[in-house]
Amino acid sequence: MSKKTLLVTGGAGFIGSAVVRQLIKASDYNVVNIDKLTYAGNLESLKEIADNPSYKFEQVDICDKENISRIFNEYQPVGILHLAAESHVDRSIVGPGEFIQTNIIGTYNLLECAREYFNTLTDKSQFKFVHISTDEVFGSLGDTGYFSETTSYDPRSPYSSSKASSDLLVRAWYHTYNLPIVITNCTNNYGPYHFPEKLIPLVINNALAGKNLPIYGKGDNIRDWLYVEDHAKGIILAFEKGVLGESYCIGGHNERTNLEVVQTICRILDELQPKAVGSYLDQITYVTDRAGHDFRYAMDPTKIQTELGWQPEENFDTGIKKTVQWYLDNQEWVQHIMSGEYQNWIQQNYTAR
Ligand code: NAD
Ligand code: TYD
């Protein structure tokens, strides 16, 4: 029997590329990666599976109705894992427009195209729309407590508001049109192929380049960190076993202050690639705080653990060591981003095919 097909949006991004690599390596599905290739999309992250016959790439904007409809009809997928988004909070503060466009309008367009396609299916039991979202939709915690599936939405940044809006649209398409959906809300991810604008890859990169390691405010804001491969496993599990209409919170109980995260990276680098003089800790610099900076995120993942059997393989201590080592071993990937060459690579290696 031929393999079933899954669509993945945002498959050239940080988490999407981990999902695509896992799906192709497990070889249970054909995968069609739908990605516009914004600054955050990097096909070099998919080099190891790019030539696999089960993998196809479609450079398409999720807001493009004609092409998204064409893709649904052409590939006849059993589901869609929707990760494409504008994802960086600081960018959303400087320019929220793209966040509204992609995260809200783009999700609306995908839902409409999925609904039209779903209505044409004779066997409707197979299809599922999995929407990948964030813990940031729940707002900000104080010193105690955890987010869970029953926490009220209280987004506070343009990014988290746009994600919350998209979650609500997805739920509405379930209740109103019976579109079979599942939502996942995950904590902060880290790991290989992370674009060096987010805290962890930025700090590794700046440390190695001898630059300042910027800490917003006092560095006491807390994030709950999950290794990206564990998140990707949770997303695939949510597709395979998630109950329709439900949402699943994903996190591994790895809360750290930002200062602790940066100090940990510096200590690992001091061990793996010591500086001629001094420690990477000397590069830490306190800078102006982010506007509306959420204080603390922390997740209670009991539901996905008990109902779907999800368990993370990495804790922060093991995952961060792997991550730092990966960046040391993959400087070419980083340098291509820093020089802008990754976008030329896409032109030369992909469009020529
Ligand atoms: P990313 O910024 O690394 O990648 C986003 C991808 O989407 C890129 O490949 C980009 O080219 C593509 N894209 C953007 N706009 C598009 C459009 N209009 N049409 C088609 N493709 C487009 O993001 P990420 O960190 O991999 O996050 C993926 C998803 O997971 C997002 O929905 C995000 O909200 C969610 N999420 C992220 C985190 C995290 O810590 N990074 C945590 C929880 C949830
Ligand atoms: P980030 O990686 O941008 O993820 P998010 O804002 O989605 O949580 O930031 C993680 C934390 O690190 C957040 O509290 C902001 C802080 N931060 C810094 O202190 N310095 C930086 O240069 C960056 C990018 C983030």
Side-chain angles (χ1 to χ4, degrees):
M1 206 173 79
S2 66
K3 285 196 265 186
K4 291 174 177 158
T5 298
L6 266 182
L7 307 183
V8 177
T9 72
F14 167 48
I15 303 168
S17 68
V19 170
V20 172
R21 288 190 305 270
Q22 277 190 22
L23 286 168
I24 293 293
K25 284 181 192 163
S27 95
D28 295 333
Y29 299 97
N30 293 315
V31 176
V32 182
N33 173 14
I34 304 171
D35 201 297
K36 179 182 174 181
L37 299 182
T38 67
Y39 80 94
N42 185 354
L43 291 178
E44 283 195 65
S45 308
L46 292 164
K47 244 181 181 172
E48 59 187 282
I49 56 89
D51 293 324
N52 190 300
S54 298
Y55 171 74
K56 291 253 172 340
F57 175 61
E58 291 272 0
Q59 184 170 3
V60 169
D61 187 331
I62 58 165
C63 301
D64 174 349
K65 188 163 194 320
E66 197 181 320
N67 269 305
I68 296 293
S69 286
R70 171 189 58 79
I71 289 169
F72 271 110
N73 293 325
E74 191 173 319
Y75 295 101
Q76 297 284 305
V78 292
I80 177 163
L81 312 181
H82 172 34
L83 294 99
E86 286 294 332
S87 69
H88 191 202
V89 174
D90 291 327
R91 284 181 189 256
S92 83
I93 294 168
V94 176
E98 285 294 311
F99 289 72
I100 306 302
Q101 188 61 26
T102 287
N103 300 0
I104 305 179
I105 308 292
T107 300
Y108 157 70
N109 186 50
L110 277 183
L111 286 166
E112 278 296 78
C113 295
R115 178 164 79 96
E116 282 166 21
Y117 166 72
F118 178 67
N119 287 338
T120 67
L121 295 177
T122 33
D123 179 6
K124 291 190 164 47
S125 66
Q126 296 261 345
F127 187 77
K128 205 179 270 177
F129 186 117
V130 182
H131 175 64
I132 285 63
S133 191
T134 164
D135 60 353
E136 303 191 25
V137 299
F138 300 122
S140 179
L141 291 165
D143 289 325
T144 57
Y146 295 94
F147 299 134
S148 77
E149 291 78 6
T150 54
T151 307
S152 304
Y153 276 36
D154 185 22
R156 298 144 66 105
S157 74
Y159 164 66
S160 55
S161 310
S162 68
K163 290 298 291 186
S165 307
S166 66
D167 292 14
L168 297 182
L169 289 173
V170 173
R171 282 192 199 171
W173 260 242
Y174 171 72
H175 289 291
T176 312
Y177 304 113
N178 298 319
L179 186 72
I181 66 94
V182 167
I183 297 176
T184 60
N185 295 89
C186 189
T187 57
N188 283 63
N189 283 215
Y190 68 101
Y193 302 105
H194 205 180
F195 197 87
E197 63 181 354
K198 307 273 172 72
L199 179 69
I200 288 179
L202 180 135
V203 163
I204 299 171
N205 209 21
N206 278 15
L208 293 172
K211 295 184 187 164
N212 288 340
L213 311 180
I215 297 209
Y216 298 165
K218 290 189 279 184
D220 55 0
N221 297 66
I222 292 169
R223 297 291 181 264
D224 185 354
W225 294 96
L226 186 70
Y227 194 65
V228 65
E229 297 292 335
D230 284 324
H231 183 195
K233 275 196 309 178
I235 291 169
I236 296 167
L237 201 58
F239 169 71
E240 290 181 334
K241 295 196 185 156
V243 175
L244 298 185
E246 294 291 311
S247 59
Y248 296 90
C249 285
I250 310 181
H253 284 301
N254 287 291
E255 288 178 50
R256 296 285 187 283
T257 66
N258 292 337
L259 185 58
E260 282 168 341
V261 168
V262 176
Q263 287 172 333
T264 303
I265 294 169
C266 290
R267 291 193 184 107
I268 296 170
L269 281 173
D270 279 340
E271 211 179 291
L272 296 179
Q273 191 152 306
K275 301 209 302 184
V277 183
S279 161
Y280 291 99
L281 291 164
D282 305 336
Q283 290 167 233
I284 290 177
T285 312
Y286 293 88
V287 300
T288 309
D289 208 354
R290 171 186 281 172
H293 197 171
D294 287 342
F295 175 61
R296 173 171 167 260
Y297 304 143
M299 191 67 98
D300 173 2
T302 306
K303 180 175 171 182
I304 191 164
Q305 288 180 328
T306 56
E307 295 184 14
L308 304 190
W310 176 83
Q311 285 297 340
E313 278 174 33
E314 305 294 341
N315 60 39
F316 188 71
D317 295 332
T318 59
I320 195 69
K321 273 197 192 123
K322 277 191 175 180
T323 303
V324 173
Q325 187 66 59
W326 186 89
Y327 277 88
L328 288 172
D329 295 342
N330 289 275
Q331 279 296 298
E332 193 187 336
W333 182 89
V334 178
Q335 292 318 321
H336 282 183
I337 289 180
M338 302 317 286
S339 66
E341 210 179 312
Y342 72 113
Q343 286 171 323
N344 301 337
W345 188 92
I346 289 159
Q347 293 299 325
Q348 286 156 11
N349 290 272
Y350 193 78
T351 34
R353 258 180 223 186

